[in-house]
């Protein structure tokens, strides 16, 4: 079983964050093509695809916190590598649509982010 190794958030050529955890969701719309002659079952074809990512990051200081909050509404490139292999990589541009900061007494703050696709997910 392969393990997820890295999810890097890039701003241009600069890595700005590495995720503690992440999940990638890929979906495809369906378009109904049924006609009365098709009988009791619905017929469909594939429509447009969409993808999104949720990530969790540790927040070490106030500067990092401010930087994370300023990311909402901006487009970034996300790069996810499986087992650190350059042959098993997913990447694409996505917009940060949500940021949630959680803090518990005595622990580092954590930031959770939701990313929505703004371009194709490249699977290499």
């Amino acid at each position: 079983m392969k393990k997820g190794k890295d999810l890097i958030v890039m701003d241009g050529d600069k890595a700005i964050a590495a995720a503690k955890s992440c999940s990638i969701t890929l979906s495809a719309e369906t378009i109904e093509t049924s006609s009365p002659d098709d009988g009791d079952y619905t017929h469909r074809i594939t429509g447009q695809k969409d993808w999104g990512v949720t990530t969790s990051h540790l927040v070490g200081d106030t500067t990092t916190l401010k930087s994370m909050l300023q990311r909402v509404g901006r487009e970034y490139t996300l790069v996810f590598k499986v087992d650190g292999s350059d042959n098993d990589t997913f990447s694409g541009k996505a917009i940060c649509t949500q940021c949630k900061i959680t803090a518990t007494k005595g622990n580092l703050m954590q930031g959770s982010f939701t990313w929505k696709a703004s371009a194709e997910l490249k699977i290499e």
Side-chain angles (χ1 to χ4, degrees):
M1 177 181 284
K2 295 212 173 207
K3 298 178 181 178
K5 179 165 182 353
D6 297 313
L7 176 97
I8 306 297
V9 179
M10 305 287 291
D11 189 2
D13 292 335
K14 180 182 173 191
I16 58 170
K20 182 179 118 180
S21 67
C22 75
S23 66
I24 299 173
T25 304
L26 182 62
S27 61
E29 294 177 347
T30 59
I31 301 167
E32 185 177 339
T33 61
S34 302
S35 76
D37 297 332
D38 290 333
D40 293 339
Y41 290 91
T42 302
H43 291 247
R44 292 185 173 88
I45 60 171
T46 302
Q48 291 186 306
K49 295 180 183 177
D50 192 17
W51 63 274
V53 174
T54 56
T55 62
S56 177
H57 307 263
L58 292 176
V59 181
D61 55 34
T62 305
T63 303
T64 305
L65 173 61
K66 288 178 183 176
S67 172
M68 288 181 158
L69 292 172
Q70 291 170 342
R71 290 185 188 145
V72 175
R74 291 188 57 203
E75 182 182 71
Y76 293 90
T77 299
L78 304 181
V79 180
F80 179 73
K81 294 183 179 184
V82 178
D83 276 343
S85 168
D86 287 335
N87 296 327
D88 295 324
T89 302
F90 309 92
S91 64
K93 292 192 179 291
I95 297 169
C96 181
T97 60
Q98 183 178 21
C99 172
K100 177 182 175 184
I101 303 296
T102 306
T104 56
K105 189 173 183 175
N107 293 317
L108 286 175
M109 290 181 287
Q110 291 190 15
S112 299
F113 296 86
T114 302
W115 308 85
K116 299 276 185 178
S118 60
E120 172 187 6
L121 179 64
K122 297 176 185 170
I123 303 171
E124 301 173 12

